[in-house]
Amino acid sequence: MTLDPKTVERIITSIKNNSNYDFSNYSRKSLNRRLTRIITEYKITVNELCIKLQNNKDFLEKVVKDITVNTTEFFRDPDLWNFIKKSVLPYIKHKKNINIWHAGCSNGQELYSMMILLAENNILDNANFYGSDLNTDIIQKAKNGKYKLFLNETFNENLSKVFDNSDKIKSKYFDINFSKDIVSIKPNLLKKPKYFIHDLVKQTDFTDKKFDIIFCRNVLIYFDLNLQNKIFRYFYEKINKNGFLIIGLHEAIFGKELKLFNQLKYQVYKKIK
Ligand SMILES: C[S@@+](CC[C@H](N)C(=O)[O-])C[C@H]1O[C@@H](n2cnc3c(N)ncnc32)[C@H](O)[C@@H]1O
């Protein structure tokens, strides 16, 4: 089953009229998939859905969380992390105050991956980490830093592709409880990042700091080109001179926004000027 385009518009409008969330610029293909699933799982009609969105704030929040896709991994796309190690860290390692923002950080696995990379290169103490996401539950998961191992099938594989001594990395940064199937971030890493609920659609600031690296991976793919370009311009303003923007492997900067950045490899962009 898929929804007809008018129905999708009706649900988007209903969410928009009853909250601060605006999905008008989200790609219709992915929205259609998510909304169809919601309607099937909740066993309700479109009419009932729209009435509940209007009358029940908790339900609306739940639907918003169901719309967002939170898939993530530690060291997702290992080649990218090897590239960051070789070609990005040399530019920032001399800095006393390195600011890094993970926009759309999901449950924090990407952010903790970056912390580990910096720790292994002896520059963690100079860095400040910010993680943000639209989804309040997922930000709480990031703060908790506890993950089901079976959900992390790629955990061992990715670590061994980025580090020669991956067993040492595991015991240094994670507590692993095999009987409970839980991998936890060690407390010394866990206390460092600051997390924010933040909606990229609005492009508001949660800090007046500028960043040396902004990660925004596998988030923009859910937005239309117009919104993507607005966000690229916003990121450009928020990145320090010679700073980096890192997006997902299936995302790209097109058109006049591309003039703001030099494209390196693996969707790593360096701010021009
Ligand atoms: C697929 S995950 C990507 C996680 C991580 N960056 C990675 O690549 O592994 C996309 C994340 O973007 C978040 N997101 C979706 N819309 C957003 C918005 N408007 N503002 C901020 N975050 C958003 C979702 O909640 C989700 O956690």
Side-chain angles (χ1 to χ4, degrees):
M1 178 180 108
T2 55
L3 300 171
D4 73 84
K6 275 192 185 149
T7 303
V8 175
E9 297 317 310
R10 190 178 157 202
I11 301 171
I12 294 172
T13 308
S14 185
I15 294 175
K16 193 173 169 185
N17 289 345
N18 292 292
S19 71
N20 283 324
Y21 300 110
D22 183 1
F23 291 101
S24 316
N25 292 96
Y26 275 55
S27 109
R28 291 302 182 265
K29 203 170 149 202
S30 136
L31 267 183
N32 200 319
R33 242 194 333 253
R34 302 301 280 190
L35 292 172
T36 305
R37 214 174 77 181
I38 289 167
I39 285 169
T40 316
E41 275 179 14
Y42 292 5
K43 296 191 176 73
I44 50 177
T45 64
V46 172
N47 254 341
E48 287 164 345
L49 176 71
C50 290
I51 293 171
K52 264 189 122 170
L53 287 172
Q54 204 178 333
N55 298 332
N56 186 334
K57 286 263 171 280
D58 290 345
F59 177 77
L60 187 146
E61 286 292 333
K62 202 163 164 348
V63 168
V64 167
K65 282 165 194 158
D66 287 342
I67 288 177
T68 60
V69 181
N70 305 121
T71 319
T72 190
E73 281 167 26
F74 287 105
F75 295 99
R76 185 179 192 175
D77 308 316
D79 288 345
L80 162 78
W81 293 92
N82 283 317
F83 183 75
I84 296 175
K85 188 161 53 177
K86 269 209 287 269
S87 306
V88 174
L89 296 195
Y91 284 98
I92 59 163
K93 66 195 294 179
H94 62 278
K95 289 196 77 172
K96 289 217 167 61
N97 239 321
I98 305 164
N99 289 323
I100 301 177
W101 175 21
H102 291 257
C105 66
S106 186
N107 63 20
Q109 294 187 22
E110 178 192 89
L111 188 153
Y112 294 119
S113 302
M114 188 59 178
M115 288 182 81
I116 293 169
L117 198 72
L118 262 57
E120 285 301 294
N121 285 274
N122 302 315
I123 46 175
L124 183 65
D125 289 347
N126 296 348
N128 307 301
F129 283 85
Y130 301 84
S132 69
D133 205 285
L134 179 73
N135 181 329
T136 46
D137 287 357
I138 212 80
I139 283 290
Q140 193 50 51
K141 285 195 177 144
K143 286 181 184 167
N144 295 342
K146 281 193 189 338
Y147 310 100
K148 279 276 185 194
L149 253 189
F150 79 89
L151 289 180
N152 280 276
E153 284 167 1
T154 51
F155 180 67
N156 290 317
E157 197 185 325
N158 288 358
L159 274 177
S160 64
K161 284 183 179 163
V162 180
F163 300 102
D164 296 333
N165 52 347
S166 64
D167 282 337
K168 211 170 130 206
I169 299 287
K170 263 184 251 170
S171 55
K172 204 163 156 190
Y173 300 105
F174 300 95
D175 289 316
I176 302 183
N177 184 328
F178 288 102
S179 62
K180 289 194 174 151
D181 192 39
I182 286 176
V183 54
S184 313
I185 303 293
K186 293 235 187 205
N188 59 329
L189 288 190
L190 205 58
K191 62 180 190 231
K192 203 169 160 70
K194 292 193 174 79
Y195 287 105
F196 298 87
I197 308 294
H198 178 261
D199 187 352
L200 282 165
V201 169
K202 303 204 172 71
Q203 297 125 54
T204 48
D205 294 344
F206 57 84
T207 170
D208 53 10
K209 294 219 163 37
K210 284 203 168 192
F211 301 95
D212 300 293
I213 306 179
I214 296 179
F215 283 81
C216 187
R217 307 191 65 224
N218 308 300
V219 182
L220 300 161
I221 201 161
Y222 300 105
F223 302 162
D224 67 21
L225 275 184
N226 191 25
L227 179 57
Q228 287 184 22
N229 286 338
K230 269 198 206 162
I231 295 173
F232 288 137
R233 286 196 293 277
Y234 173 66
F235 283 159
Y236 175 80
E237 296 302 328
K238 301 300 295 174
I239 295 175
N240 279 327
K241 194 175 164 199
N242 291 319
F244 296 86
L245 171 63
I246 304 179
I247 61 178
L249 293 192
H250 303 291
E251 297 161 336
I253 307 182
F254 296 110
K256 62 179 192 303
E257 281 68 25
L258 191 52
K259 297 204 175 84
L260 305 172
F261 300 93
N262 275 326
Q263 184 174 7
L264 312 178
K265 270 176 98 174
Y266 302 109
Q267 304 313 82
V268 176
Y269 292 81
K270 192 161 192 287
K271 177 170 170 167
I272 294 177
K273 284 189 276 174

